[in-house]
Amino acid sequence: MKIGLSSLQPLGRALMLPIAVLPVAGLLLRLGQPDLLDIAFVSAAGQAIFSNLGLLFAVGVAVGLARDNNGAAGLAGVVGYLITIEAAKVLMTAPPEVLAGLSGDAAEAAAKAFRDQALTRLGVPIGIISGLIAGDFYNRFSTLKLPEYLAFFGGRRFVPIAAGFAALAVAAIIGLSFSAIDHAIDVFSRTVVGSGEIGMFVYGLLNRLLIITGLHHILNNVAWFIVGDYHGATGDLNRFFAGDPTAGAFMSGFFPVMMFGLPAACLAMYHAARPERRKAVGGMLFSLALTAFLTGVTEPIEFTFMFLAPALYAIHAVLTGLAMVVMNLLDVHLGFTFSAGLFDYVLNFGKSTRPWMLLPVGLVYAGLYYSLFRVFIRVLNLKTPGREDDPVETVTHVTSGGRGEAFILALGGAANLVAVASCTTRLRLRIVSRDRVDEAALKRLGARGVIAPSPDSLQVVIGPTVEAVAQDIRDQWTAAPSAIAAAIAVESAPTVLSDTLKAALGGAANIRSSTTKAGRLCVVLADAAALNETALTAAAPKGFVRLGSDSVQVLV
């Protein structure tokens, strides 16, 4: 199994699948606790998720890594996880101090309790390893053909069998060397926690810098689910919800950045935009700021200036690291199950330590972000939204049915797509050729950024609606590839406008020129004010895009 940059990026996406379950788990856990609704069975329902995170990671990573996200990979992950856990227990030996003064049934019960608790600490790492094996085996063996008398066990059915045997080897390693593994994890955890402010700063800095590759999810999983131990709960996030008063160090610093800093940066970019373009970018920036404040989803904001103004992004990364340090020095401990937004802040206020300190720190951070962004944008003449040399392109009236086709056309057509997946905010695609992708068209459709980690992979930053966009693409891609191919072929056909379309565009005399390209009718108008948007919406049900002051593109 080759582990490189191209392999780690799918892993980062796969890790988000089990994490997506945590918001509902945290909601149930908190609502059922005595300081809120005090409903025991609701709290127990949430705790059930936290108690079985290893199993969730085994399934999620396996399915996420499988080339077609097939459930057979998830089954193989479960098989591998259960075999590893139970087989390792048999091979483990309880240390003498655990059995001191005990004999018979009491000694056996103490040894069993030790093994159960010990492997609970390793649940998430074992789950990730089981998922890696299952996903890789699915991609290798799901099409395996066996002799006719063994054909029943071939193909996808072979994957859980192979994963089970591989799990035996993993169980042997863990069971026979548990003391060494446990000691290594303990030393690592103590080193990270003991690194203090330096460790906090480096974590915050790397967390933002790795966003461009999508590998920040891997860094987060180490901090949130592995580092530290509190009565069997491992990781900063788990320990926070288990009641550890020292937990939250790897989460608290995100709150002032995501709830205050980046929304203030949006305000700074709005004020820095050219007066004639503020209206065009204002709605976008406001929606991005509100999303960050409420939910903590910030990638759409970050990609608006990550490539346009790298200096600003470097400042943002440094400020995130400093926020980790500041919140740690102030002994503020906040936690979340999804991200550092208002919803998580309010829900977990009662479990937090000094949560009210977020307000003054957040206001200071809002001032810092606003001031620094305004100064650097003006002094360096940075091309943030609304300051670009090219006309601002916005999307209007794209229906969900037309959206899938529009994205496929922008991505180079159905034949250029190999696999379509998504994570929290990004489309993660495997493609045939990077050269066929129309980045300008993707941005007109609402993309905040486009990243090409390798020649055959592409990431398109969309925002919280990415899953719906991905599903639209998959539906259109699998249901009507011939229709998309036909749409591309239209480019070579002569441009013919219907009378209804001409009327909506202000009449034939208002049309200076019209050409067809990649499924879009590109029209230049003599008088943009003569265009009737209501009529055009009816005449172009798939959607249309207004470009600058005199151009419009209609999806056909």
Side-chain angles (χ1 to χ4, degrees), residues 205-216 262 265 269 288 298-317 373 382-385 425-426 443 448-452 459 461:
L205 180 72
L206 291 179
N207 181 277
R208 295 297 93 184
L209 293 179
L210 288 175
I211 279 183
I212 190 171
T213 64
L215 300 183
H216 60 299
L262 286 173
M269 288 188 283
L288 296 181
T298 60
E299 283 192 15
I301 296 177
E302 289 160 329
F303 275 88
T304 61
F305 64 88
M306 179 184 291
F307 299 111
L308 291 173
L312 285 182
Y313 196 78
I315 292 170
H316 166 52
F373 269 59
L382 299 176
K383 303 301 181 180
T384 50
T425 58
R426 307 183 192 189
K443 291 180 179 179
R448 308 302 181 195
V450 179
I451 306 167
Q459 296 179 11
V461 181

Side-chain angles (χ1 to χ4, degrees), residues 457-548:
S457 64
L458 194 73
Q459 296 179 11
V460 183
V461 181
I462 301 294
T465 62
V466 66
E467 181 59 34
V469 173
Q471 190 59 51
D472 286 345
I473 295 173
R474 283 191 290 263
D475 290 344
Q476 190 68 33
W477 183 37
T478 57
S482 59
I484 297 170
I488 296 175
V490 170
E491 182 174 353
S492 60
T495 302
V496 179
L497 278 68
S498 67
D499 292 339
T500 304
L501 190 57
K502 288 179 182 178
L505 291 169
N510 193 44
I511 300 173
R512 287 182 177 175
S513 65
S514 62
T515 56
T516 302
K517 180 179 179 181
R520 299 188 304 274
L521 179 64
C522 306
V523 182
V524 178
L525 303 175
D527 180 11
L531 184 148
N532 187 329
E533 290 200 0
T534 303
L536 187 56
T537 300
K542 291 183 178 179
F544 64 89
V545 182
R546 299 198 69 161
L547 308 178

